[in-house]
Amino acid sequence: MAREPKLPQSEAEQRRELGGYSEAEFDREFVRSQRSDLASVAIRVVLLVIVYGLLARAIHRFDPPPWLLVLPFASEFLAIFVVGWFLSRFVVSCKAFRKSAGSTGLLLFWIVLIVGAMAAAIVLNPGGAGRSDTPRQAFAEAWQWIVRTDLHWALAAMFAALVGSTVQEVVRWKQERGVFVWAAIMTAGFRFGIAFLVAFLAGFIVIFAGDVLLPVVGRLFDGGGSALTWTVYGFVVLVEVLTLVVAVLMHRDALKPKAQ
């Protein structure tokens, strides 16, 4: 039996699904702000190789605790929420963007969740050399790890890049007006969705094959970082690679002319 063709969504339905934007608005800004040409993709691949190559070298040399590998990911996600909330309240007067940025309650929820999770990881230090005697000592040792691996410079560069690109986006919007679609939200949304999916699938793999896979990982990297650290490293790298692939595929799909 033939299926009836799906009726096009109304603009109100589109805005509900896309966080306040219509499909045409989202596609237009997505095409404008993203890149999928060969040169741009090659540059992003080279940057990933450099960043995660240096991180792998740091794991071999210093054997950092696993939470340290998640810190840039969590910090960027939290910075995007904070900067986006600030923009939507004090800088950008766009209703669609304000809706996509979320409420103050949502911001506080993510701050408590992310900061609390990272604080718990630092204090408990799973997979690290051992748990510190006091939380104060644990945070002092965490800062020593950040400085020892030069992660504070990486975090500063990440935040500076976020602010710099945001200023350019805001200046362009003030000149052109219309809806404001923040490119950082797109990338963060892709990364968060992929991270959730990968973590969900990895949970099943660990449950059913963890006893076999974890010892193998431990033997592969014996003497150069713990098995848990390399597992977290592999998770982060996989999320970054899949985020790049999804963004490129979606951008090339958005470039195609829409069927009437």
Side-chain angles (χ1 to χ4, degrees), residues 55 59 64-73 228-230 232-233 236:
L55 185 56
I59 294 174
W67 60 260
L68 193 70
L69 308 183
V70 185
L71 184 60
F73 183 88
L228 180 58
T229 300
W230 282 111
V232 174
Y233 173 84
V236 174

Side-chain angles (χ1 to χ4, degrees), residues 191-214:
R191 188 180 288 116
F192 180 75
I194 291 171
F196 179 81
L197 179 61
V198 172
F200 183 76
L201 296 176
F204 277 98
I205 294 175
V206 170
I207 291 173
F208 293 106
D211 293 339
V212 177
L213 294 179
L214 289 180

Side-chain angles (χ1 to χ4, degrees), residues 56-204:
R57 180 171 174 266
I59 294 174
H60 272 292
R61 290 183 59 188
F62 301 112
D63 189 18
W67 60 260
L68 193 70
L69 308 183
V70 185
L71 184 60
F73 183 88
S75 299
E76 181 184 22
F77 189 75
L78 185 59
I80 288 173
F81 260 97
V82 174
V83 173
W85 178 88
F86 178 82
L87 287 178
S88 67
R89 264 61 182 179
F90 303 105
V91 181
V92 177
S93 56
C94 173
K95 293 182 179 180
F97 174 65
R98 182 163 185 167
K99 183 178 180 181
S100 70
S103 63
T104 303
L106 182 63
L107 172 67
L108 294 176
F109 168 79
W110 282 112
I111 290 176
V112 172
L113 180 64
I114 295 176
V115 174
M118 290 306 304
I122 290 172
V123 172
L124 299 177
N125 198 24
R131 185 174 177 179
S132 302
D133 295 332
T134 63
R136 183 175 181 178
Q137 182 182 355
F139 284 106
E141 292 177 355
W143 177 247
Q144 292 174 4
W145 270 114
I146 292 173
V147 174
R148 187 182 306 155
T149 56
D150 291 328
L151 188 59
H152 58 306
W153 295 116
L155 293 175
M158 176 270 295
F159 186 74
L162 175 64
V163 172
S165 63
T166 299
V167 169
Q168 293 179 343
E169 292 281 325
V170 172
V171 170
R172 183 202 61 80
W173 175 79
K174 286 184 177 294
Q175 293 173 346
E176 300 178 3
R177 290 297 170 172
V179 296
F180 181 78
V181 183
W182 194 28
I185 289 182
M186 300 180 187
T187 304
F190 295 154
R191 188 180 288 116
F192 180 75
I194 291 171
F196 179 81
L197 179 61
V198 172
F200 183 76
L201 296 176
F204 277 98

